Amino acid sequence: MENDTNGRRLSTLATSESGIITKVLGHGSFRKRITEMGFVRGKRVTVIKNAPLLDPVEYEIMGYRIALRRSEADLIEVTPFVGRSADEPTAAPAVVEDQTANRFLHQAGRTVNVALVGNPNCGKTSLFNLASGSHERVGNYSGVTVEAKEATARHQGYTLRLADLPGTYSITEYTPEELYVRRHILEQMPDVVINVVDASNLERNLFLTTQLIDMNLKVVIALNMYDELEASGARFDYEALGRMIGIPIVPTVASRGEGLDRLFDRVVDVFEDNEPTVRHIHINYGEDIERSITTLQEMIWENCDIVAHYSSRYLAIKLLEGDRETLSRLRETENFEAIRQAVDHETARLERFYNDRTETVIAGARYGFIAGALNETFVSGSADKNRKATRIDRIMTHRIWGFPIFLLLMWIMFQATFSLGEIPAGWMEAGIERLGEWVSETMPEGSLRDLLVDGVISGVGGVIVFLPQILILFFFISLMEDTGYMARTAFLMDRFMHRIGLHGKSFIPLLMGFGCNVPAIMATRTLESRKDRLLTMLIMPFMSCSARLPVYVLLISAFFPRGQGLVLMSIYVVGIGMAILSSLLLKRLLFHRAEAPFVMELPPYRIPTARSVVRHMWNKGSQYLRKMGTVILLASVLVWGLGHYPRPSVEQQAALGPDELTEWQAEHSYIGRIGHAIEPAIRPLGFDWKIGVSLLSGVAAKEIVVSTMSVLNQPVSGAAAGVSAAAEPEADTEADGALIRSLQAQRYTSGPRAGQPVYTPLVAYGMMIFILLYFPCIAAIAAIRKEAGWRWALFTVVYTTGLAWVVSGLVYQIGRLLA
């Protein structure tokens, strides 16, 4: 984005500073007037002086002076002038133009800000990824994109700055994502909007298009999934429809990259005002509504700053629809009270006349306009596009077999995580062990070698070996998302979710939480009710994210030789159970309000592409690897340092034997002191101080629990552990790693438990329950704070940690009684 460091708004130039105009933003009469007065691309404009109250500002352009308000100057983009502009006459032939200024002007003039908008599941993010080479997540259900994703594409010498906005059915104020899309368009003022339309569902998708028409924007329609329309046997004269609505329409198949070059050709033509199809039309809402629109427009026109930024017709329509945010935008205008009274009067008049709400009447008129346009341009095909989905749904959403099928798929996913991931994980584990041995043999003894072997290789390597399991988990999640089955799970679970105080659509963010809690928390924006969003966010940490998976795999591999898939699934079931109980409790205490209706699109089933699945796996794998090189590496080094220092004195080293020296270091190191300080609080849970320190480190990221355990529980010999090699568990196979053997061999060395194993299946299970329920990672807390505020973020910290202590303690104490 070359222009970012040079492009500015005219209002930011200081007195005597000059700039070259690169773009004129704004709407309607302002844009027309300002361009007629010479404010066009390539012209030099100079700040002469500010008024005594700093507004308006006097400028010089084309040899004459003109005054603009700062709000108007803020709608003109310039690049700082460092030489002569192309339109200025030179004083003599010897004067040479400054090529730097020309280069900046060229770059700014050829940078197009493009916003992608469209319904959920219309292929918008697929188009964004193919066009820009980005790697945003694509899912066959709504709510994947929950905030703007930005990337850059280049086309025929132009730089296209693409913003992938959340999928939305309209631009009202019904959901946070709809408000987000509208604010982005109104405040960022993109040069061109690409409206991605699902060709297989034209009538519903074009509703959003009618709202873009009212906003008086430069729009290009990407008629996506055009291959499905052709396969259905339908005939569509999209060029005729484009001429009718004044918007160029380009067929695309984003999943295969078809039609993108033509699409961007049209974007550039529209940006340069070279597209003959483009014209601004008004949708006729009927004589009575049009009269009300005109009445409000005349009052809005009295405010120059407002009409410079927004289409007056769009504002008038939104006011009639009862849009509170639009009314709030006009609150600072001088005639606000008159506008508000006129809105009330016109709305009451229309509702008496139509005997219905005004927004309903306007929506009906929009669909009437769409139906009329399609009657002249579209002939539907004979093929039933929903036939395949209907046949599949007879089984997948069957009232009896639907739930067993869902549970079976979950079990397959968890079992495959172990059975398929075990072999590559074993290879990686063996490689890391050999690397540690090689470093130990080649480097001289000392703290640096200990840091590399016991801190870096042991800490980071102890976590990286679980990469295959992470990839397998996300492979299955990707399949469910891309096929469209994820949306069916919400359909299956709505009644159950309703019983526990949640919306059926909450199930999708919750299921996404099995991958990562952070995007899942952000995805709660797809829920219309704030109550549903808050409640879903508060129970989200109980959905066991993939960051916890390495801990589960380690402990299950070490202490549960049989039924590993079932043990893992039971942890996830406990998390779901805690989420249900918490939802019932929080609903009764904090969120006892009216329920939101269940309205959700069930997208067609689609065969996922190998590219999409592999990209999803690679994205998550690369995120995991980035954690290895940043957070987990730093945490491993920190834990090693706290465990390595302070060093015993020379006299102590001479007086103590090797095993005694190791024990002294563990007890007197900084981390040992921290662990012993918190041990009384976790002793009722069956945990020792090393487990306590590992859990404490997991506050930053749950994978750090494994790296901390790797650093604290260095491989020990049978003698040092207090057991013989023959006494090690039978589950210790060749595939077991050094850390697993070390955990199996750990014994208490003092106190009433002296000689007893530190880790037993009961302790390991209780530890997994604690890790499942306690403090979410810092990133998840930050996401909750961003979406709901500090109060709810702090509540989540206290509630989850307290619940983890209680439940894990009950598991351990009850298990001891039953043993």
Side-chain angles (χ1 to χ4, degrees):
M1 301 183 187
E2 302 92 338
N3 190 40
D4 286 351
T5 57
N6 302 294
R8 295 166 59 182
R9 297 296 174 94
L10 180 59
S11 59
T12 65
L13 296 184
T15 301
S16 300
E17 191 176 0
S18 296
I20 305 298
I21 297 174
T22 58
K23 288 178 189 174
V24 178
L25 307 173
H27 287 276
S29 59
F30 163 78
R31 183 183 175 91
K32 184 173 184 295
R33 185 182 78 248
I34 207 75
T35 53
E36 288 174 346
M37 299 186 73
F39 285 83
V40 294
R41 191 166 63 193
K43 297 298 181 182
R44 177 185 174 186
V45 58
T46 304
V47 183
I48 303 301
K49 63 176 180 292
N50 291 276
L53 298 178
L54 302 182
D55 203 6
V57 181
E58 183 180 342
Y59 298 96
E60 180 177 319
I61 184 171
M62 297 174 64
Y64 73 96
R65 306 288 177 88
I66 184 173
L68 295 179
R69 291 194 185 98
R70 286 188 176 272
S71 60
E72 294 174 331
D74 194 53
L75 294 172
I76 300 172
E77 287 188 2
V78 298
T79 188
F81 177 74
V82 290
R84 291 188 178 274
S85 78
D87 62 281
E88 284 190 289
T90 57
V95 178
V96 179
E97 291 182 354
D98 187 291
Q99 295 303 316
T100 304
N102 287 337
R103 178 167 59 84
F104 289 155
L105 175 60
H106 175 78
Q107 291 173 350
R110 285 181 167 263
T111 298
V112 188
N113 297 314
V114 181
L116 275 70
V117 301
N119 285 196
N121 197 44
C122 69
K124 175 173 51 61
T125 302
S126 293
L127 190 151
F128 175 79
N129 287 339
L130 263 295
S132 64
S134 184
H135 295 76
E136 294 305 326
R137 182 71 191 100
V138 180
N140 190 11
Y141 64 99
S142 64
V144 178
T145 308
V146 290
E147 58 184 8
K149 311 294 183 183
E150 296 184 349
T152 301
R154 286 174 174 79
H155 183 74
Q156 294 186 359
Y158 286 81
T159 298
L160 308 180
R161 290 161 52 175
L162 305 173
D164 178 24
L165 301 182
T168 177
Y169 295 107
S170 68
I171 309 178
T172 62
E173 56 178 5
Y174 191 48
T175 66
E177 58 193 8
E178 291 174 351
L179 277 175
Y180 186 94
V181 172
R182 189 168 74 185
R183 286 172 182 166
H184 182 95
I185 293 174
L186 293 176
E187 294 170 9
Q188 299 300 320
M189 290 182 284
D191 300 311
V192 180
V193 172
I194 295 180
N195 179 201
V196 185
V197 170
D198 181 357
S200 65
N201 200 338
L202 287 171
E203 192 165 7
R204 209 275 316 286
N205 278 248
L206 288 173
F207 185 84
L208 177 58
T209 308
T210 62
Q211 294 180 314
L212 297 175
I213 290 173
D214 286 336
M215 296 178 79
N216 190 15
L217 302 168
K218 288 185 174 183
V219 180
V220 177
I221 291 178
L223 191 62
N224 200 29
M225 306 180 196
Y226 191 68
D227 54 337
E228 295 185 13
L229 182 145
E230 292 181 314
S232 70
R235 298 195 309 274
F236 182 33
D237 188 351
Y238 58 84
E239 292 181 343
L241 178 64
R243 291 191 296 270
M244 190 181 302
I245 64 176
I247 298 174
I249 301 176
V250 181
T252 62
V253 183
S255 61
R256 300 199 297 262
E258 297 178 7
L260 297 191
D261 285 340
R262 286 188 57 210
L263 175 67
F264 291 140
D265 285 342
R266 293 292 180 276
V267 168
V268 170
D269 289 342
V270 170
F271 173 70
E272 295 286 5
D273 295 320
N274 291 331
E275 172 56 51
T277 306
V278 174
R279 63 189 180 93
H280 180 55
I281 68 166
H282 287 171
I283 297 171
N284 192 319
Y285 291 104
E287 182 180 349
D288 293 282
I289 294 178
E290 288 294 334
R291 191 166 73 231
S292 296
I293 291 173
T294 301
T295 299
L296 295 179
Q297 273 188 281
E298 290 175 351
M299 303 181 73
I300 294 170
W301 281 334
E302 297 177 20
N303 305 279
C304 298
D305 290 348
I306 290 294
V307 296
H309 284 79
Y310 313 115
S311 163
S312 60
R313 180 175 174 84
Y314 165 76
L315 293 176
I317 293 170
K318 298 311 292 181
L319 289 173
L320 290 175
E321 289 178 326
D323 191 274
R324 289 169 296 181
E325 186 179 78
T326 301
L327 192 64
S328 178
R329 285 183 184 273
L330 300 174
R331 193 170 298 278
E332 300 302 321
T333 59
E334 294 182 0
N335 60 341
F336 170 74
E337 191 59 34
I339 291 175
R340 189 184 62 79
Q341 292 177 5
V343 170
D344 293 341
H345 177 267
E346 294 297 328
T347 301
R349 182 182 68 82
L350 291 173
E351 291 184 351
R352 283 196 306 270
F353 181 81
Y354 288 103
N355 195 27
D356 203 348
R357 294 182 64 86
T358 310
E359 60 264 36
T360 305
V361 177
I362 292 175
R366 292 186 196 276
Y367 276 117
F369 170 81
I370 295 168
L374 291 179
N375 281 340
E376 298 184 30
T377 57
F378 179 75
V379 178
S380 60
S382 57
D384 183 3
K385 65 179 181 179
N386 293 317
R387 183 184 303 168
K388 179 175 69 174
T390 301
R391 287 200 305 266
I392 299 175
D393 279 341
R394 285 174 185 168
I395 301 173
M396 304 304 289
T397 61
H398 191 273
R399 63 187 183 90
I400 296 176
W401 300 113
F403 284 105
I405 289 173
F406 172 68
L407 294 175
L408 175 63
L409 293 175
M410 293 296 101
W411 177 82
I412 291 173
M413 178 174 72
F414 296 130
Q415 187 62 41
T417 300
F418 271 100
S419 58
L420 298 181
E422 185 176 10
I423 297 175
W427 295 339
M428 296 177 68
E429 201 168 29
I432 290 169
E433 286 186 26
R434 291 193 185 96
L435 176 62
E437 293 171 358
W438 178 80
V439 173
S440 296
E441 293 170 358
T442 55
M443 288 189 66
E445 185 175 353
S447 294
L448 179 59
R449 188 186 74 174
D450 292 344
L451 169 63
L452 292 176
V453 175
D454 300 335
V456 177
I457 296 175
S458 180
V460 176
V463 182
I464 202 172
V465 296
F466 299 104
L467 178 62
Q469 282 93 343
I470 297 292
L471 294 177
I472 290 170
L473 177 68
F474 279 105
F475 170 78
F476 281 97
I477 291 177
S478 178
L479 286 181
M480 286 194 295
E481 292 176 349
D482 290 356
T483 56
Y485 181 66
M486 187 76 85
R488 268 71 183 180
T489 62
F491 175 79
L492 283 171
M493 299 297 294
D494 177 63
R495 186 168 184 178
F496 174 76
M497 301 293 281
H498 181 80
R499 293 275 181 90
I500 64 173
L502 289 171
H503 194 280
K505 287 172 69 174
S506 297
F507 189 72
I508 288 179
L510 291 174
L511 200 57
M512 289 174 65
F514 289 137
C516 180
N517 286 171
V518 176
I521 290 168
M522 305 292 283
T524 58
R525 294 180 186 176
T526 60
L527 302 172
E528 291 82 8
S529 165
R530 175 170 169 80
K531 180 215 74 166
D532 290 328
R533 290 196 298 275
L534 284 173
L535 189 51
T536 305
M537 270 186 270
L538 294 180
I539 67 172
M540 186 68 69
F542 302 135
M543 300 298 104
S544 192
C545 67
S546 60
R548 298 174 171 101
L549 186 61
V551 189
Y552 302 156
V553 174
L554 172 67
L555 294 176
I556 291 173
S557 299
F559 301 104
F560 297 91
R562 299 180 186 85
Q564 294 177 332
L566 289 176
V567 175
L568 179 62
M569 187 172 179
S570 71
I571 297 295
Y572 283 78
V573 170
V574 170
I576 294 170
M578 289 297 103
I580 292 171
L581 294 176
S582 296
S583 178
L584 291 171
L585 177 65
L586 294 174
K587 178 192 175 186
R588 183 174 294 274
L589 296 179
L590 303 174
F591 299 106
H592 189 65
R593 286 186 234 158
E595 299 289 337
F598 180 78
V599 181
M600 182 178 180
E601 179 186 5
L602 292 179
Y605 285 102
R606 291 192 171 95
I607 299 175
T609 63
R611 175 190 292 175
S612 173
V613 174
V614 170
R615 175 177 284 169
H616 188 203
M617 292 171 61
W618 170 246
N619 287 348
K620 296 305 177 182
S622 61
Q623 290 177 20
Y624 192 69
L625 292 174
R626 281 195 295 271
K627 272 189 178 182
M628 300 302 104
T630 53
V631 177
I632 293 173
L633 174 61
L634 292 174
S636 299
V637 172
L638 177 62
V639 171
W640 174 86
L642 292 173
H644 192 73
Y645 296 102
R647 304 299 295 164
S649 64
V650 176
E651 293 78 9
Q652 289 173 320
Q653 293 185 39
L656 299 174
D659 293 342
E660 293 173 321
L661 188 62
T662 301
E663 185 63 29
W664 185 94
Q665 186 67 37
E667 296 292 331
H668 293 84
S669 65
Y670 295 125
I671 203 166
R673 298 171 189 176
I674 294 172
H676 285 299
I678 64 175
E679 189 174 21
I682 59 175
R683 192 175 294 131
L685 283 60
F687 301 160
D688 75 336
W689 68 268
K690 292 183 180 179
I691 295 177
V693 171
S694 300
L695 295 174
L696 189 62
S697 69
V699 167
K702 295 298 177 282
E703 299 98 333
I704 298 177
V705 173
V706 173
S707 64
T708 304
M709 293 172 70
S710 299
V711 174
L712 293 178
N713 299 283
Q714 294 301 315
V716 295
S717 65
V723 293
S724 65
E728 293 181 356
E730 294 179 3
D732 184 12
T733 65
E734 186 176 345
D736 289 331
L739 178 56
I740 289 178
R741 293 192 294 272
S742 179
L743 295 180
Q744 292 169 338
Q746 291 294 320
R747 296 290 188 272
Y748 287 101
T749 57
S750 60
R753 300 183 188 176
Q756 297 180 11
V758 173
Y759 288 91
T760 64
L762 181 60
V763 171
Y765 197 82
M767 184 178 176
M768 288 189 287
I769 293 297
F770 194 92
I771 288 169
L772 165 73
L773 300 177
Y774 88 121
F775 191 111
C777 68
I778 293 295
I781 292 298
I784 293 175
R785 184 206 63 79
K786 179 180 178 182
E787 297 296 312
W790 273 114
R791 184 166 62 100
W792 292 112
L794 292 174
F795 174 82
T796 302
V797 170
V798 174
Y799 177 69
T800 57
T801 305
L803 186 65
W805 191 89
V806 171
V807 176
S808 185
L810 288 174
V811 168
Y812 178 71
Q813 297 297 337
I814 294 174
R816 288 182 61 196
L817 293 175
L818 297 178

